Amino acid sequence: MNQFTVLVKKELIQLVREIKLVWFPLVFIFLGITQPVVSYYMPSILEMLGGGQGISIDPSMMAQSGGEVLASTLGSQFDQLGVMIIVISLMGIVQSDKASGMLAFILTRPVKVGSYLSGKVFSHYVFIAFSVAVGYIVSYIYTQFLFTGIPLEDLSIALLLYLLWVLFIVSFTTMISTIFNSQGVIALLSIAILLGCRVIVGLNPFLDTINPASMSTYGMELLVGGVLNSNVFWSILITLILSALAINISNTWISRKKYRID
Amino acid sequence: MKLHYGLDDLSEFDIVAFLPIILPIVAIGLILVLTALIDLYRHRERRENVLMWALIIIFANTIGSILYFVIGRKESGGR
Amino acid sequence: MLSISELEKSYPNKKVLNGVNLHIQKGEILGFVGGNGAGKTTTLNIITGILDCDKGAVSINGLTNKSGLEYKKQFFYIPDTIHVFNNVPGYDWILFLMSLFNIEDNEKLDEYIKVFDMEDSIKKSMGTYSYGMLHKMSLIAAFTINPPIIIMDEPINGLDPSAVVSFKEEIKKYVERGGTIFFSTHLLDVAEKICDTIAILKDGKIILHDKVKNIIGDSSLESIFMEAQIYERDTQPY
């Protein structure tokens, strides 16, 4: 076994021991179900609250297509609560090792900083991507059952685009967790910047191209309209570069021993 | 499609069609709550605010257990 | 084999190491003695790669502390505070450390587990271990990995008497196999019985590095040694 495999295995064992393997996918399944079910029953719920008179609902609201519903799963569930849960569950990814002295301890061993970091990012990313994908698929099953189906091609491309955005979220949070020492600061900063990226999508075409959060909206556009944005190639490239850059900065930061030692 | 319901129509709500949709949600919520409670019990000696978390998990069930998993699994006096 | 020359290190408000020179021969069992603030931990941190030094050089078997992975394969470090994952069994942790050194000798591992009387607890999670058990676990890992030099910080603390006996025996065997031991201690009798040589660090410099029998025989050297010991004992935080 080489170092990388050993470190990935160590992280995966941690995921099992912390029972994150159980709750994390369940949370995303829950988020995934919420959107189609709430969209479907919203008219009845509103009506119940409306009392004996009843309220009239614009029939066009019911005419939501499956694509629109699944797009709002990405846009309003995963991109809000989902991103927050990912960031908060990752805020200690490097920080807790720094605080406990584990990082210093590991670095007295024959371990490359790069293997340590890539082992962490790889194992957590694969696991989070898996959880997001499971939540997405369950959301699709509900959507298709309650609304309409979506072409398989659009469905899978939208998921892959979304997972690229998740890759950036994981690398970015890892970088912040490497640089800062307080979990609160890490969570707040990461959530503010990542949600900020998500909010500014659509303001300016150039910004959209270099904004990793656009991956999410490209996916949504594809689900709703069946059309892929023409800038998608450049955005994919830039998202990959930015993710690599974030990991690289963490690597340099640890190699230069800028982490705190108590 | 009829979109204008009155309160009387509530009884006509199709429970049979409703169940397969709502049951998985209930099941997932239940698994989350149980997992959280079992984890809390197993680590009761090392966790802070055990009683507070038990109440949060039970009364705010799904949201409570998600909260517990995300921020409640801090260990006190851990190495 | 371990060679430290002109090591200097300053923290923002104070200079800790002021030109440390220390050359350890292969097969030497060195006791590294110094009071709190003498720079003992800083020296260990620089040798093991936790800290960078301002000036000077460290090398083991000709590899400097800048040579990366190969340098770190030359030593096994057992710190005073051993960091573990509470939920992982000691056995898995040792296997993890062994794999980092590309060692796959499970028979040897089982043998050392017996020597240190850890058969029952090695499969339990490390969160349940006492301070002494963590040290025994690290010693098992160190002897199984069998690196050119083992570096230890206060290795006897928390060990039960039978473990101390095994520790002494295994150290002798390890040195006969060609190993070298570098350890910091504040216990005079242990240093006397185990070490061949003693180096005393004071005010960021090595003031004495000599064979134990020379120190014990010579009353003037002995007094320097005792002074350092007493100072050390009085300022231990626990």
Side-chain angles (χ1 to χ4, degrees):
Chain A
M1 275 197 292
N2 66 31
Q3 276 188 20
F4 177 74
T5 347
V6 170
L7 289 161
V8 167
K9 210 178 132 199
K10 185 195 73 132
E11 290 297 323
L12 291 179
I13 291 171
Q14 280 302 104
L15 288 178
V16 176
R17 307 260 174 188
E18 286 172 2
I19 59 162
K20 200 175 168 184
L21 209 60
V22 177
W23 68 265
F24 205 79
L26 279 179
V27 168
F28 274 88
I29 292 174
F30 190 79
L31 288 178
I33 296 182
T34 310
Q35 190 67 32
V37 169
V38 168
S39 307
Y40 186 74
Y41 286 108
M42 195 46 98
S44 327
I45 295 167
L46 282 179
E47 181 273 330
M48 273 190 242
L49 297 174
Q53 294 284 322
I55 44 168
S56 297
I57 288 138
D58 182 359
S60 70
M61 203 176 144
M62 278 303 283
Q64 271 190 356
S65 73
E68 284 171 69
V69 176
L70 198 58
S72 26
T73 297
L74 294 182
S76 10
Q77 304 295 335
F78 288 8
D79 268 348
Q80 288 169 20
L81 256 176
V83 169
M84 285 189 219
I85 289 170
I86 293 176
V87 168
I88 294 175
S89 77
L90 282 183
M91 65 189 174
I93 183 169
V94 176
Q95 182 272 344
S96 57
D97 278 2
K98 283 191 293 183
S100 68
M102 181 57 97
L103 180 58
F105 183 75
I106 286 204
L107 292 182
T108 64
R109 311 297 172 197
V111 176
K112 277 193 208 118
V113 179
S115 314
Y116 166 82
L117 272 173
S118 51
K120 284 217 170 242
V121 171
F122 177 81
S123 44
H124 282 92
Y125 174 65
V126 167
F127 173 65
I128 290 172
F130 164 78
S131 308
V132 169
V134 168
Y136 180 82
I137 290 164
V138 172
S139 187
Y140 173 67
I141 294 170
Y142 265 77
T143 305
Q144 182 226 37
F145 184 62
L146 297 173
F147 297 90
T148 58
I150 300 161
L152 186 66
E153 199 188 317
D154 292 357
L155 192 71
S156 18
I157 294 176
L159 176 63
L160 291 179
L161 290 175
Y162 195 79
L163 292 183
L164 275 173
W165 164 227
V166 174
L167 174 66
F168 179 74
I169 296 173
V170 173
S171 333
F172 183 79
T173 311
T174 305
M175 180 183 82
I176 299 289
S177 182
T178 307
I179 296 174
F180 294 91
N181 291 325
S182 136
Q183 291 209 335
V185 172
I186 294 164
L188 221 66
L189 209 61
S190 309
I191 290 175
I193 293 174
L194 290 169
L195 291 189
C197 282
R198 183 63 185 81
V199 167
I200 60 165
V201 172
L203 285 185
N204 174 307
F206 174 72
L207 275 182
D208 283 358
T209 313
I210 58 164
N211 186 347
S214 306
M215 303 312 296
S216 165
T217 45
Y218 293 157
M220 287 168 66
E221 282 167 20
L222 184 65
L223 288 173
V224 173
V227 191
L228 202 53
N229 193 295
S230 53
N231 282 331
V232 73
F233 173 75
W234 291 110
S235 292
I236 290 175
L237 198 68
I238 288 166
T239 304
L240 288 174
I241 291 173
L242 286 176
S243 306
L245 190 69
I247 296 167
N248 208 342
I249 290 175
S250 318
N251 192 352
T252 315
W253 192 271
I254 296 174
S255 305
R256 294 209 180 142
K257 310 197 161 78
K258 286 194 172 180
Y259 57 88
R260 182 188 58 186
I261 299 159
D262 312 78
Chain B
M1 193 181 293
K2 185 185 174 190
L3 280 170
H4 192 99
Y5 296 97
L7 252 192
D8 304 336
D9 300 317
L10 255 185
S11 52
E12 294 163 26
F13 216 85
D14 195 346
I15 289 291
V16 182
F18 191 62
L19 271 181
I21 294 164
I22 216 74
L23 265 183
I25 302 181
V26 175
I28 287 168
L30 211 64
I31 298 173
L32 279 173
V33 169
L34 282 179
T35 322
L37 284 177
I38 291 169
D39 184 77
L40 184 64
Y41 180 77
R42 276 182 48 208
H43 299 98
R44 62 193 178 283
E45 274 151 23
R46 295 216 298 263
R47 290 280 145 76
E48 292 165 2
N49 308 321
V50 174
L51 189 67
M52 183 193 85
W53 279 112
L55 292 176
I56 291 177
I57 294 167
I58 291 165
F59 288 106
N61 47 70
T62 314
I63 300 294
S65 40
I66 293 176
L67 264 180
Y68 168 74
F69 286 126
V70 174
I71 57 172
R73 303 183 81 252
K74 299 270 173 302
E75 301 200 337
S76 57
R79 239 184 294 269
Chain C
M1 62 114 26
L2 171 66
S3 183
I4 302 172
S5 44
E6 296 301 328
L7 211 57
E8 288 186 25
K9 176 77 187 174
S10 303
Y11 291 127
N13 44 6
K14 114 180 235 230
K15 192 160 193 175
V16 185
L17 299 184
N18 204 355
V20 174
N21 285 294
L22 186 60
H23 302 277
I24 306 174
Q25 304 301 317
K26 189 178 170 193
E28 198 169 331
I29 303 178
L30 177 93
F32 189 54
V33 182
N36 269 7
K40 210 168 46 163
T41 311
T42 308
T43 310
L44 284 178
N45 280 345
I46 291 173
I47 297 173
T48 55
I50 296 174
L51 279 176
D52 279 338
C53 52
D54 301 339
K55 271 189 197 149
V58 179
S59 69
I60 301 178
N61 284 339
L63 295 159
T64 74
N65 56 349
K66 304 279 189 288
S67 11
L69 241 48
E70 280 311 308
Y71 173 78
K72 289 187 177 171
K73 282 188 182 165
Q74 301 300 311
F75 66 86
F76 188 90
Y77 177 45
I78 305 178
D80 187 22
T81 313
I82 294 167
H83 297 281
V84 296
F85 293 111
N86 285 331
N87 292 328
V88 177
Y91 194 79
D92 294 4
W93 181 244
I94 297 176
L95 287 181
F96 167 65
L97 290 175
M98 284 164 63
S99 60
L100 293 180
F101 285 84
N102 303 325
I103 304 278
E104 283 178 33
D105 195 344
N106 291 16
E107 280 172 33
K108 239 215 195 111
L109 172 58
D110 293 338
E111 190 186 306
Y112 285 116
I113 291 172
K114 272 205 197 85
V115 168
F116 285 96
D117 203 18
M118 287 277 284
E119 291 112 312
D120 297 333
S121 33
I122 202 73
K123 304 265 179 183
K124 289 186 189 143
S125 58
M126 295 185 282
T128 62
Y129 288 11
S130 68
Y131 183 87
M133 283 158 85
L134 287 173
H135 271 262
K136 283 206 274 183
M137 183 192 74
S138 301
L139 288 169
I140 293 168
F143 290 128
T144 311
I145 289 167
N146 196 31
I149 182 166
I150 300 179
I151 301 172
M152 301 180 238
D153 199 0
E154 302 290 353
I156 310 290
N157 276 3
L159 288 187
D160 48 77
S162 72
V164 173
V165 172
S166 317
F167 171 72
K168 286 177 185 170
E169 283 171 7
E170 288 309 322
I171 275 191
K172 292 257 147 61
K173 284 189 207 158
Y174 163 73
V175 170
E176 278 161 21
R177 286 200 298 272
T180 308
I181 298 270
F182 179 107
F183 79 77
S184 70
T185 181
H186 64 282
L187 296 170
L188 178 61
D189 56 333
V190 171
E192 227 180 286
K193 277 175 194 149
I194 296 178
C195 301
D196 303 335
T197 54
I198 282 172
I200 299 177
L201 183 71
K202 203 180 173 204
D203 302 327
K205 277 191 166 178
I206 300 285
I207 55 166
L208 180 72
H209 178 197
D210 207 343
K211 290 208 161 63
V212 173
K213 57 174 193 261
N214 295 348
I215 295 174
I216 302 300
D218 188 320
S219 58
S220 64
L221 292 176
E222 206 167 349
S223 66
I224 298 174
F225 183 56
M226 293 294 278
E227 205 179 294
Q229 295 302 319
I230 290 160
Y231 179 55
E232 170 82 1
R233 201 155 40 211
D234 289 350
T235 50
Q236 274 297 308
Y238 42 90

